[in-house]
Short mmCIF file of all heavy atoms in Angstrom, two decimals:
data_model
loop_
_atom_site.label_atom_id
_atom_site.label_comp_id
_atom_site.label_asym_id
_atom_site.label_seq_id
_atom_site.Cartn_x
_atom_site.Cartn_y
_atom_site.Cartn_z
N VAL O 119 19.21 10.39 -7.63
CA VAL O 119 17.79 10.19 -7.91
C VAL O 119 17.20 11.47 -8.46
O VAL O 119 17.23 12.51 -7.80
CB VAL O 119 17.04 9.76 -6.63
CG1 VAL O 119 15.56 9.60 -6.89
CG2 VAL O 119 17.64 8.47 -6.07
N ASP O 120 16.70 11.40 -9.68
CA ASP O 120 16.03 12.53 -10.34
C ASP O 120 16.83 13.84 -10.26
O ASP O 120 16.27 14.91 -10.05
CB ASP O 120 14.62 12.73 -9.77
CG ASP O 120 13.66 11.67 -10.26
OD1 ASP O 120 13.91 11.09 -11.33
OD2 ASP O 120 12.67 11.40 -9.55
N ARG O 121 18.15 13.70 -10.41
CA ARG O 121 19.05 14.85 -10.38
C ARG O 121 18.89 15.68 -9.12
O ARG O 121 19.11 16.90 -9.12
CB ARG O 121 18.83 15.74 -11.61
CG ARG O 121 19.14 15.03 -12.89
CD ARG O 121 18.97 15.94 -14.06
NE ARG O 121 19.35 15.21 -15.27
CZ ARG O 121 19.10 15.64 -16.47
NH1 ARG O 121 18.48 16.77 -16.65
NH2 ARG O 121 19.47 14.93 -17.51
N TRP O 122 18.50 15.04 -8.04
CA TRP O 122 18.20 15.74 -6.80
C TRP O 122 19.01 15.22 -5.63
O TRP O 122 19.65 15.98 -4.92
CB TRP O 122 16.71 15.62 -6.50
CG TRP O 122 16.31 16.04 -5.12
CD1 TRP O 122 16.60 17.24 -4.51
CD2 TRP O 122 15.54 15.30 -4.16
NE1 TRP O 122 16.06 17.27 -3.25
CE2 TRP O 122 15.40 16.10 -3.02
CE3 TRP O 122 14.97 14.05 -4.18
CZ2 TRP O 122 14.71 15.68 -1.89
CZ3 TRP O 122 14.27 13.63 -3.06
CH2 TRP O 122 14.14 14.44 -1.93
N LEU O 123 19.00 13.95 -5.43
CA LEU O 123 19.49 13.40 -4.18
C LEU O 123 20.59 12.37 -4.44
O LEU O 123 20.39 11.42 -5.21
CB LEU O 123 18.33 12.73 -3.44
CG LEU O 123 18.64 12.15 -2.08
CD1 LEU O 123 18.95 13.27 -1.09
CD2 LEU O 123 17.46 11.34 -1.58
N LEU O 124 21.72 12.56 -3.80
CA LEU O 124 22.83 11.63 -3.91
C LEU O 124 22.69 10.56 -2.83
O LEU O 124 22.58 10.88 -1.64
CB LEU O 124 24.17 12.36 -3.75
CG LEU O 124 25.41 11.47 -3.67
CD1 LEU O 124 25.63 10.71 -4.98
CD2 LEU O 124 26.63 12.31 -3.31
N LEU O 125 22.68 9.31 -3.25
CA LEU O 125 22.65 8.18 -2.32
C LEU O 125 23.99 7.46 -2.42
O LEU O 125 24.47 7.19 -3.52
CB LEU O 125 21.53 7.21 -2.69
CG LEU O 125 20.12 7.78 -2.76
CD1 LEU O 125 19.17 6.74 -3.31
CD2 LEU O 125 19.68 8.25 -1.38
N ARG O 126 24.57 7.15 -1.27
CA ARG O 126 25.82 6.39 -1.24
C ARG O 126 25.53 5.01 -0.69
O ARG O 126 24.92 4.88 0.36
CB ARG O 126 26.84 7.10 -0.38
CG ARG O 126 27.36 8.37 -1.00
CD ARG O 126 28.55 8.92 -0.22
NE ARG O 126 29.02 10.13 -0.84
CZ ARG O 126 28.72 11.35 -0.41
NH1 ARG O 126 27.98 11.51 0.65
NH2 ARG O 126 29.19 12.40 -1.04
N ILE O 127 26.01 4.00 -1.39
CA ILE O 127 25.84 2.61 -0.97
C ILE O 127 27.12 2.17 -0.27
O ILE O 127 28.21 2.26 -0.86
CB ILE O 127 25.53 1.69 -2.17
CG1 ILE O 127 24.34 2.22 -2.98
CG2 ILE O 127 25.30 0.26 -1.71
CD1 ILE O 127 23.05 2.32 -2.21
N GLN O 128 27.00 1.70 0.96
CA GLN O 128 28.16 1.30 1.75
C GLN O 128 28.74 -0.03 1.27
O GLN O 128 28.00 -0.91 0.82
CB GLN O 128 27.77 1.17 3.23
CG GLN O 128 27.26 2.46 3.84
CD GLN O 128 28.33 3.52 3.93
OE1 GLN O 128 29.50 3.22 4.17
NE2 GLN O 128 27.95 4.76 3.73
N GLY O 129 30.03 -0.17 1.40
CA GLY O 129 30.69 -1.43 1.10
C GLY O 129 30.64 -1.77 -0.38
O GLY O 129 30.62 -0.90 -1.25
N ASP O 130 30.58 -3.06 -0.66
CA ASP O 130 30.56 -3.56 -2.04
C ASP O 130 29.16 -3.93 -2.50
O ASP O 130 29.00 -4.72 -3.43
CB ASP O 130 31.47 -4.79 -2.17
CG ASP O 130 32.92 -4.44 -1.88
OD1 ASP O 130 33.31 -3.29 -2.12
OD2 ASP O 130 33.66 -5.34 -1.41
N ASP O 131 28.13 -3.38 -1.84
CA ASP O 131 26.75 -3.77 -2.15
C ASP O 131 26.16 -3.04 -3.34
O ASP O 131 25.05 -3.35 -3.77
CB ASP O 131 25.85 -3.52 -0.93
CG ASP O 131 26.14 -4.47 0.21
OD1 ASP O 131 26.66 -5.57 -0.07
OD2 ASP O 131 25.84 -4.13 1.37
N GLY O 132 26.86 -2.07 -3.91
CA GLY O 132 26.32 -1.27 -5.01
C GLY O 132 25.76 -2.08 -6.16
O GLY O 132 24.59 -1.91 -6.53
N PRO O 133 26.56 -3.00 -6.75
CA PRO O 133 26.03 -3.78 -7.87
C PRO O 133 24.81 -4.62 -7.50
O PRO O 133 23.86 -4.72 -8.28
CB PRO O 133 27.21 -4.67 -8.27
CG PRO O 133 28.42 -3.92 -7.82
CD PRO O 133 27.99 -3.22 -6.56
N ARG O 134 24.82 -5.18 -6.30
CA ARG O 134 23.68 -5.99 -5.86
C ARG O 134 22.43 -5.13 -5.71
O ARG O 134 21.34 -5.51 -6.14
CB ARG O 134 24.00 -6.70 -4.54
CG ARG O 134 22.92 -7.64 -4.06
CD ARG O 134 23.25 -8.24 -2.70
NE ARG O 134 23.48 -7.24 -1.67
CZ ARG O 134 22.51 -6.56 -1.05
NH1 ARG O 134 21.25 -6.75 -1.37
NH2 ARG O 134 22.80 -5.67 -0.12
N VAL O 135 22.59 -3.95 -5.13
CA VAL O 135 21.46 -3.03 -4.97
C VAL O 135 20.93 -2.59 -6.33
O VAL O 135 19.72 -2.58 -6.56
CB VAL O 135 21.86 -1.80 -4.11
CG1 VAL O 135 20.79 -0.73 -4.13
CG2 VAL O 135 22.16 -2.23 -2.68
N LEU O 136 21.85 -2.25 -7.25
CA LEU O 136 21.43 -1.84 -8.60
C LEU O 136 20.64 -2.94 -9.30
O LEU O 136 19.61 -2.68 -9.92
CB LEU O 136 22.64 -1.46 -9.44
CG LEU O 136 23.29 -0.13 -9.14
CD1 LEU O 136 24.56 0.03 -9.96
CD2 LEU O 136 22.33 1.00 -9.42
N LEU O 137 21.14 -4.16 -9.20
CA LEU O 137 20.46 -5.28 -9.84
C LEU O 137 19.07 -5.49 -9.22
O LEU O 137 18.09 -5.68 -9.95
CB LEU O 137 21.31 -6.55 -9.71
CG LEU O 137 20.78 -7.79 -10.43
CD1 LEU O 137 20.64 -7.53 -11.92
CD2 LEU O 137 21.72 -8.96 -10.18
N SER O 138 18.99 -5.42 -7.91
CA SER O 138 17.69 -5.59 -7.23
C SER O 138 16.71 -4.50 -7.63
O SER O 138 15.54 -4.78 -7.89
CB SER O 138 17.88 -5.57 -5.71
OG SER O 138 18.65 -6.65 -5.29
N VAL O 139 17.19 -3.27 -7.69
CA VAL O 139 16.32 -2.15 -8.07
C VAL O 139 15.85 -2.31 -9.51
O VAL O 139 14.67 -2.12 -9.81
CB VAL O 139 17.05 -0.80 -7.86
CG1 VAL O 139 16.29 0.34 -8.53
CG2 VAL O 139 17.25 -0.53 -6.39
N ALA O 140 16.77 -2.67 -10.41
CA ALA O 140 16.39 -2.84 -11.82
C ALA O 140 15.35 -3.94 -11.97
O ALA O 140 14.35 -3.77 -12.70
CB ALA O 140 17.63 -3.16 -12.66
N ARG O 141 15.55 -5.06 -11.28
CA ARG O 141 14.56 -6.15 -11.34
C ARG O 141 13.22 -5.73 -10.78
O ARG O 141 12.17 -6.03 -11.36
CB ARG O 141 15.09 -7.37 -10.57
CG ARG O 141 16.16 -8.11 -11.29
CD ARG O 141 16.65 -9.29 -10.47
NE ARG O 141 17.66 -10.03 -11.18
CZ ARG O 141 18.53 -10.83 -10.61
NH1 ARG O 141 18.51 -11.00 -9.29
NH2 ARG O 141 19.42 -11.47 -11.33
N ALA O 142 13.24 -5.05 -9.65
CA ALA O 142 11.98 -4.61 -9.02
C ALA O 142 11.25 -3.61 -9.92
O ALA O 142 10.03 -3.69 -10.08
CB ALA O 142 12.25 -4.01 -7.65
#
Side-chain angles (χ1 to χ4, degrees):
V119 178
D120 286 335
R121 297 182 177 168
W122 168 52
L123 183 68
L124 173 65
L125 303 172
R126 290 190 180 100
I127 307 299
Q128 299 293 325
D130 297 331
D131 291 335
R134 184 184 57 77
V135 170
L136 285 174
L137 185 59
S138 296
V139 168
R141 286 179 178 159

